[in-house]
Amino acid sequence: MPTAEDLNKLIAESSNIVFFGGAGVSVPSGIPDFRSPDGLYNQKYKYPPETIISASFFALHAEEFYEFYKDKMLFPKAEPNAAHYKLAELEKAGRLRAVVTQNIDGLHQKAGSRRVLELHGSVHRNYCCQCEKEFDLAYILASEGVPRCDACGGLVKPDVVLYEEPLDTTTVDGAIYAISRCDLLIIGGTSMSVYPAAGLVQYRPKKSRLAIVNLSPTPSDSAADLVVSGSIDKVFEAVGV
C-alpha cells in the first residue's frame, strides 16, 4: 500500500509542484466538510443547505442565510494543521508554486502560504452590495442579524461563491496557468465531485505526475501515479521539504 514515504519521494523529485485541495484539508482543523455522512449536506434544516447558500436565497432571505452562515460556515478559532504548514514550507523552499483550494477558511494563508488561489472565495473578505466598501470577518461576527454597511447601510455579502454564481475568472485563469505548468500535481482532501473546480485538473501537462491523498477513492485515482489513502494531516506530517 502506498505511503507518505512514496509521496515524499515524488516531492523530492519535483520542482514545480501545485497542490489542489478541498474540504478534507481543513477537516483535521475542526471544520466539517459538506458531503461526508456527518457533513452539512446530510443534516436537516428548514431548507436544504444547497438552497440556503444560493445567490437567489441570499437575495430574498438574507436573515435566514446569515443565521445558517454564521452558525455552520464560520470557524474563526480554527488553526492550520500539518498539511497547511507543510505546504507553506514547500512554497518557502521554492518547490511549491501554488495552492489551488476550494476552501473558504483562509487557513493556507494563516499557515504562511502566499500563492493561494481561492476558487470559492473567502470568509475573510466581505463587501457592501451598494457602495462596495470592504469588511473583514470580525465585522461579520460582531454584527447582529444581517450585517449592514457602516457607511451607507447597504447589505454586506461574503466574498464567497454561492450556488448560481460563477467562479471568478481571474482566479480560474491563475489556477489553469499554475496547473498547466506543474511537474507534480498533488490532489488532497477532495472527492473531485465539485464542478467546475474539479475540471481544472485536466490542464495538467501529460508529462507531469499526479499524486492523490484522500480518505476515499476519487474519479481521478485511475490516472494517478500515486494514491495514498489517509487523513491528509497525518500523511503530510511525514513529508520532508
Side-chain angles (χ1 to χ4, degrees):
M1 179 179 292
T3 66
E5 186 57 38
D6 297 305
L7 177 61
N8 201 37
K9 183 179 179 182
L10 280 184
I11 290 174
E13 296 170 349
S14 307
S15 59
N16 194 336
I17 304 168
V18 171
F19 179 82
F20 181 96
V25 178
S26 294
V27 168
S29 294
I31 299 178
D33 64 3
F34 282 75
R35 292 173 172 77
S36 70
D38 296 322
L40 288 180
Y41 287 174
N42 291 306
Q43 298 180 30
K44 302 301 180 182
Y45 300 97
K46 184 178 179 180
Y47 300 94
E50 300 97 317
T51 299
I52 298 174
I53 52 178
S54 67
S56 56
F57 190 91
F58 175 80
L60 296 172
H61 309 282
E63 186 171 350
E64 289 174 289
F65 169 89
Y66 266 111
E67 182 179 356
F68 176 87
Y69 180 74
K70 291 180 180 180
D71 186 41
K72 297 297 183 180
M73 297 184 70
L74 299 181
F75 298 87
K77 295 182 180 180
E79 294 293 334
N81 59 61
H84 296 107
Y85 285 119
K86 191 65 67 171
L87 290 166
E89 290 177 28
L90 287 168
E91 181 188 51
K92 188 175 181 180
R95 313 284 292 288
L96 182 76
R97 305 301 181 185
V99 169
V100 180
T101 181
Q102 299 173 78
N103 296 336
I104 59 176
D105 50 52
L107 290 182
H108 284 292
Q109 292 93 328
K110 195 171 185 178
S113 290
R114 299 169 64 89
R115 178 61 170 164
V116 182
L117 296 160
E118 298 171 308
L119 296 173
H120 296 154
S122 172
V123 299
H124 295 280
R125 298 188 301 270
N126 306 272
Y127 63 91
C128 174
C129 293
Q130 289 184 195
C131 70
E132 299 185 351
K133 181 177 179 179
E134 297 181 0
F135 298 91
D136 59 13
L137 177 58
Y139 188 87
I140 302 300
L141 293 171
S143 65
E144 294 185 10
V146 177
R148 292 284 177 177
C149 177
D150 59 6
C152 74
L155 175 64
V156 175
K157 180 185 181 297
D159 188 17
V160 298
V161 179
L162 304 178
Y163 282 101
E164 304 166 350
E165 292 182 329
L167 301 184
D168 178 72
T169 54
T170 299
T171 305
V172 171
D173 289 345
I176 292 173
Y177 181 88
I179 292 172
S180 66
R181 284 159 176 77
C182 72
D183 59 5
L184 172 63
L185 177 63
I186 303 175
I187 295 175
T190 174
S191 63
M192 298 300 293
S193 61
V194 179
Y195 284 83
L200 296 178
V201 301
Q202 68 180 309
Y203 293 98
R204 177 176 67 91
K206 291 183 179 179
K207 292 183 179 181
S208 66
R209 291 184 288 186
L210 174 63
I212 298 176
V213 182
N214 202 46
L215 283 169
S216 58
T218 79
S220 298
D221 287 2
S222 60
D225 297 276
L226 176 69
V227 177
V228 181
S229 179
S231 179
I232 195 164
D233 62 323
K234 301 300 182 184
V235 173
F236 271 82
E237 279 180 356
V239 169
V241 176

